[in-house]
């Protein structure tokens, strides 16, 4: 026998109103995905006027001109190699010129030193 009367009995909750006034819940799944943006599609980007999309873990040109892209890539690689070779040649020339400058400077200092010694020697004779 309970001390305070009847056992605990909560009140029944009233029925809920519609959760939303939107009619999107009435649409089928594919329409909802389009309307709500649940279908993202493939990521795309535009670089230097070229449109690329991400497929199977790689960025692929949307224009589909793979041969043109490969030719351009080969041309750029060849040009890059030529510029690197030219850069190496110019660095070598700069190193040679610096060596020549340091050698000429050292010779000039030696000649100035000899000239001073000759001047001092000629003053002593007088």
């Amino acid at each position: 026998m309970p001390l305070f009367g009847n056992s605990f009995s909560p009140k029944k909750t009233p029925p809920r109103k519609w959760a939303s006034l939107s009619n999107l819940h009435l649409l089928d799944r594919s329409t909802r995905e389009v309307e709500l943006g649940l279908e993202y599609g493939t990521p795309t980007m535009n670089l230097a006027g070229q449109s690329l999309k991400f497929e199977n873990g790689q960025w692929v040109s949307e224009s589909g001109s793979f041969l043109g892209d490969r030719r351009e890539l080969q041309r750029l690689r060849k040009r890059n190699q030529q510029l690197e070779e030219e850069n190496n040649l110019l660095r070598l020339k700069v190193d040679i010129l610096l060596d020549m400058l340091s050698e000429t400077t050292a010779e000039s200092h030696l000649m100035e030193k000899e000239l001073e010694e000759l001047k001092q020697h000629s003053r002593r004779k007088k």
Side-chain angles (χ1 to χ4, degrees), residues 5-100:
N6 289 344
S7 64
F8 177 74
S9 61
K11 293 181 182 178
K12 290 187 177 182
T13 57
R16 294 182 178 226
K17 297 179 182 178
W18 284 94
S20 172
L21 297 177
S22 171
N23 61 358
L24 289 176
H25 66 281
L26 299 174
L27 300 174
D28 63 303
R29 183 174 187 264
S30 61
T31 310
R32 268 187 289 179
E33 285 179 353
V34 171
E35 290 290 327
L36 298 174
L38 299 177
E39 184 63 37
Y40 299 113
T42 59
T44 58
M45 70 175 168
N46 191 4
L47 287 176
Q50 179 123 13
S51 184
L52 302 169
K53 62 183 175 179
F54 193 75
E55 287 183 350
N56 300 325
Q58 292 184 345
W59 288 100
V60 180
S61 173
E62 280 189 345
S63 62
S65 62
F66 295 109
L67 294 177
D69 293 340
R70 288 185 184 150
R71 287 184 194 137
E72 180 71 13
L73 185 61
Q74 287 176 349
R75 186 186 69 76
L76 290 173
R77 283 185 179 155
K78 185 176 179 181
R79 179 68 176 146
N80 189 27
Q81 184 178 2
Q82 289 174 346
L83 290 173
E84 285 179 357
E85 289 173 1
E86 183 181 346
N87 192 20
N88 289 338
L89 178 65
L90 291 172
R91 284 183 181 172
L92 180 65
K93 287 182 178 183
V94 166
D95 287 342
I96 291 171
L97 286 172
L98 286 173
D99 289 344
M100 290 171 61

